[in-house]
Amino acid sequence: MIVKIKNTSEHGLPAYETPLSAGVDLRANSTHPITLQPMERALVKTGFFLEIPAGYEAQVRPRSGLALKKGITVLNSPGTIDADYRGEIGVILINLSNESVTLENGERIAQLVFAKVEQATWEVTSDLSETERGAGGFGSTGIK
């Protein structure tokens, strides 16, 4: 898959860090450090603009190391970037730790994974097929 990218940041293009990586890392693109207080959220810009092919989306996901070490995660995880969006990629981060956390320009803040998507066509009906689970949800299958 080829994705067109416009880079207005001072950082290199997102890259797969290992041969089997599913996602590329996104970096903060800021003229100054960004400090998040506990439970504070912020939209962190990346300086990247994408042209995603039709039939695909880009998913913005947390970086596990940043979540574990600093308590920073992507608030709307996974965030979806639609194929027709042409604005700057921003990442909504939240600090879930008990301490303030400062993110530096160029720090890896999230990862981006591309996935195929399909649009549904609705078929209106008054009856749905029966299953063993039925309408059971939210813990109905137990905890073990």
Side-chain angles (χ1 to χ4, degrees):
M1 169 179 51
I2 296 173
V3 176
K4 292 183 180 179
I5 186 168
K6 180 172 124 179
N7 183 2
T8 62
S9 78
E10 61 187 56
H11 312 294
L13 296 180
Y16 294 95
E17 296 294 327
T18 66
L20 298 179
S21 292
V24 296
D25 288 331
L26 295 175
R27 296 179 182 273
N29 185 49
S30 177
T31 56
H32 59 281
I34 300 166
T35 300
L36 293 174
Q37 300 302 321
M39 298 307 295
E40 184 179 12
R41 62 189 178 272
L43 178 63
V44 180
K45 298 292 189 164
T46 64
F48 297 125
F49 300 74
L50 303 177
E51 186 175 320
I52 301 167
Y56 290 86
E57 67 165 332
Q59 298 175 357
V60 180
R61 298 180 182 182
R63 292 193 65 244
S64 57
L66 193 60
L68 178 63
K69 294 174 186 173
K70 296 186 178 182
I72 300 293
T73 192
V74 176
L75 186 57
N76 62 325
S77 180
T80 293
I81 302 169
D82 296 308
D84 58 355
Y85 177 69
R86 295 294 183 270
E88 182 175 4
I89 304 306
V91 179
I92 304 169
L93 295 177
I94 187 165
N95 179 0
L96 297 178
S97 76
N98 295 322
E99 301 173 1
S100 65
V101 175
T102 299
L103 302 169
E104 302 292 336
N105 180 38
E107 188 165 347
R108 296 182 295 170
I109 57 169
Q111 57 183 327
L112 193 65
V113 174
F114 293 93
K116 284 188 173 192
V117 294
E118 292 192 35
Q119 291 185 332
T121 300
W122 300 111
E123 179 182 332
V124 178
T125 183
S126 58
D127 296 307
L128 300 176
S129 64
E130 297 288 329
T131 66
E132 184 178 326
R133 181 176 184 173
F138 300 111
S140 65
T141 59
I143 57 174
K144 292 191 179 202

